[in-house]
């Protein structure tokens, strides 16, 4: 069907050089015909009226596998879905030549955002990875290499930016606007977490958090927030719905932030130390190199500086002390699960 063809074209990256390398012959102007079964599956699974195609992880994997199988692909480009929790290895398992599977994750809007995460799976050959890196680098993109793990680099490391901000709100420490003020005015971030969640869409951001939480076998540090869940359920998606954490129909209704430097620094330090700890953990677990983690966070989500560089400037001993103080003061199980690992990582780096 025409609609199915349009969606398929959005999903598959149709650049002749790349497609020739992967052995898939698809012309951008061609009308792609699906078997009746596949077209029905597409129509029932996707919302064609939406500019952004959002899929549950399991359905997305099933859809990609089905298309790979139905179209007789010998290989595939995995990078055409917006969910960074997809398993590249799982998609590759349905291919006849799985050694050519590669994950290519662009950031929205792709023409403007310089970062591209490249994710080889356990099946991917070194040649496939090298050619992909060189090709995308030649397009003027900043390429980082990461392991096939949930969230890749950015969507894994950035989780505390949203999650800890929501916890601070839920503890009654500060409201949305004050937390955003602390991160932007004191921390130098371009957007505060609540402004950013409203921009992304609370439905989308919550779905990503939930999928990362499940993909990490319910690790408490990635636990979603009931506040965000309720906002998403209420249809308070953010800018696109006219209301989220802020009212976009009448901005005069939005409360002013509490301008308190001591409070702002407390909020910033709490979120920042968890972000740095998550970046350290990504390096420690071999998700990516230190250089690529810092590149990903500055080029992919416009952080004011790389988190590992930021940690070095503050001092890893101070970061460790902040983590311990935070754990002692709030007794969070999500900190207990991760802080021990953070302890070990910080000590190794200090030595």
């Amino acid at each position: 069907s025409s609609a199915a063809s349009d969606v398929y074209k959005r999903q598959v990256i149709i650049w002749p050089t790349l497609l020739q390398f992967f052995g898939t012959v698809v012309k951008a102007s061609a009308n792609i015909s699906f078997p009746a079964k596949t077209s029905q599956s597409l129509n029932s699974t996707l919302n064609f009226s939406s500019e952004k195609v959002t899929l549950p992880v399991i359905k997305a994997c099933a859809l990609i596998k089905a298309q790979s199988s139905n179209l007789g692909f010998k290989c595939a480009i995995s990078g055409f879905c917006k969910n960074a929790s997809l398993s590249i290895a799982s998609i590759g398992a349905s291919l006849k030549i799985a050694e050519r599977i590669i994950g290519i994750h662009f950031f929205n809007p792709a023409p403007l955002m310089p970062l591209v995460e490249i994710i080889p799976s356990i099946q991917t050959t070194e040649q496939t990875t090298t050619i992909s890196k060189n090709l995308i680098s030649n397009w003027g993109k900043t390429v980082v290499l990461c392991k096939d793990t949930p969230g890749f680099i950015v969507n894994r490391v950035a989780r505390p930016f949203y999650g800890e901000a929501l916890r601070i709100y839920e503890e009654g420490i500060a409201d949305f606007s004050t937390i955003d003020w602390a991160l932007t005015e004191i921390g130098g971030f371009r957007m505060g977490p609540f402004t950013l969640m409203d921009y992304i869409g609370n439905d989308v951001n919550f779905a990503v958090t939930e999928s990362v939480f499940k993909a990490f076998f319910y690790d408490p540090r990635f636990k979603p927030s009931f506040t965000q869940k309720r906002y998403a359920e209420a249809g308070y998606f953010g800018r696109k719905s006219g209301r989220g954490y802020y009212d976009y129909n009448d901005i005069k209704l939005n409360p002013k932030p509490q301008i308190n430097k001591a409070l702002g620094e407390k909020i910033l330090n709490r979120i920042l130390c968890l972000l740095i700890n998550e970046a350290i953990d990504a390096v420690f677990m071999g998700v990516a190199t230190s250089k690529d983690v810092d590149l990903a966070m500055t080029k992919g989500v416009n952080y004011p500086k790389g988190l590992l560089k930021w940690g070095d400037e503050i001092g890893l001993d101070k970061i460790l002390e902040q983590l311990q103080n935070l754990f002692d003061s709030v007794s969070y199980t999500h900190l207990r699960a991760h802080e021990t690992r953070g302890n070990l990582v910080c000590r190794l780096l200090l030595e």
Side-chain angles (χ1 to χ4, degrees):
S1 71
S2 175
S5 177
D6 288 341
V7 172
Y8 183 74
K9 286 174 185 177
R10 282 190 215 135
Q11 290 178 327
V12 177
I13 303 170
I14 306 178
W15 288 303
T17 306
L18 192 56
L19 290 171
Q20 284 171 17
F21 165 66
F22 282 100
T24 307
V25 181
V26 178
K27 293 182 180 179
S29 60
N31 291 320
I32 301 169
S33 298
F34 289 93
K37 204 170 191 181
T38 306
S39 293
Q40 289 169 8
S41 174
L42 278 166
N43 280 296
S44 63
T45 306
L46 299 176
N47 175 13
F48 295 114
S49 64
S50 174
E51 182 62 25
K52 294 184 178 180
V53 179
T54 304
L55 296 170
V57 178
I58 295 174
K59 287 185 179 179
C61 283
L63 176 62
I64 294 164
K65 284 185 175 182
Q67 288 187 13
S68 298
S69 176
N70 288 336
L71 296 174
F73 283 1
K74 293 181 179 180
C75 53
I77 306 161
S78 174
F80 39 80
C81 278
K82 290 181 178 294
N83 198 313
S85 296
L86 292 176
S87 163
I88 309 304
S90 178
I91 298 167
S94 67
L95 303 175
K96 293 180 180 178
I97 306 178
E99 292 82 3
R100 291 182 178 182
I101 187 75
I102 192 81
I104 302 172
H105 184 211
F106 290 79
F107 288 78
N108 191 34
L112 299 180
M113 297 301 288
L115 185 73
V116 177
E117 293 176 325
I118 292 186
I119 312 98
S121 76
I122 58 175
Q123 303 107 310
T124 308
T125 63
E126 188 64 36
Q127 182 188 29
T128 301
T129 303
T130 300
I131 293 176
S132 300
K133 284 176 63 179
N134 291 342
L135 180 65
I136 295 172
S137 293
N138 288 338
W139 295 341
K141 294 293 187 180
T142 300
V143 173
V144 293
L145 193 67
C146 58
K147 189 186 285 186
D148 183 12
T149 56
F152 307 144
I153 300 174
V154 172
N155 282 325
R156 172 187 179 137
V157 174
R159 301 276 36 102
F161 189 73
Y162 315 110
E164 203 59 27
L166 283 158
R167 290 187 187 99
I168 290 169
Y169 166 76
E170 289 169 345
E171 290 172 25
I173 294 172
D175 60 12
F176 304 142
S177 58
T178 301
I179 295 169
D180 277 357
W181 167 81
L183 271 291
T184 55
E185 295 302 314
I186 301 177
F189 289 86
R190 293 194 181 183
M191 287 187 187
F194 295 100
T195 301
L196 183 54
M197 285 186 280
D198 272 356
Y199 181 79
I200 295 168
N202 270 303
D203 53 339
V204 175
N205 189 261
F206 178 76
V208 172
T209 301
E210 191 174 38
S211 67
V212 170
F213 181 52
K214 289 178 180 177
F216 274 102
F217 307 110
Y218 301 96
D219 188 323
R221 77 183 195 265
F222 298 118
K223 186 178 179 179
S225 161
F226 273 113
T227 296
Q228 188 172 40
K229 187 175 191 292
R230 294 294 181 257
Y231 270 69
E233 289 171 341
Y236 293 172
F237 299 145
R239 287 183 176 273
K240 63 185 177 183
S241 66
R243 182 172 178 181
Y245 298 113
Y246 299 105
D247 191 321
Y248 296 93
N249 295 313
D250 188 353
I251 59 174
K252 291 181 291 185
L253 297 176
N254 296 321
K256 301 293 183 184
Q258 181 183 349
I259 309 299
N260 182 319
K261 188 176 181 182
L263 175 62
E265 288 177 347
K266 178 182 177 182
I267 292 167
L268 171 64
N269 290 338
R270 176 166 165 176
I271 294 173
L272 185 56
C273 74
L274 288 170
L275 283 169
I276 292 169
N277 201 38
E278 200 62 54
I280 291 171
D281 185 67
V283 175
F284 182 68
M285 297 304 294
V287 175
T289 64
S290 300
K291 178 184 177 182
D292 279 359
V293 168
D294 272 0
L295 266 178
M297 302 314 291
T298 53
K299 300 295 185 181
V301 279
N302 288 319
Y303 280 13
K305 61 182 79 175
L307 292 170
L308 297 169
K309 179 183 178 182
W310 212 335
D312 288 338
E313 290 176 2
I314 296 170
L316 294 179
D317 52 343
K318 290 183 179 178
I319 297 295
L320 182 58
E321 183 182 356
Q322 287 180 19
L323 286 171
Q324 187 61 56
N325 290 340
L326 186 56
F327 171 68
D328 291 341
S329 64
V330 298
S331 296
Y332 269 177
T333 55
H334 79 280
L335 286 179
R336 182 185 294 277
H338 187 49
E339 189 268 343
T340 302
R341 183 181 293 166
N343 244 326
L344 175 60
V345 175
C346 286
R347 282 173 181 162
L348 285 172
L349 292 178
L350 283 170
E351 290 171 1

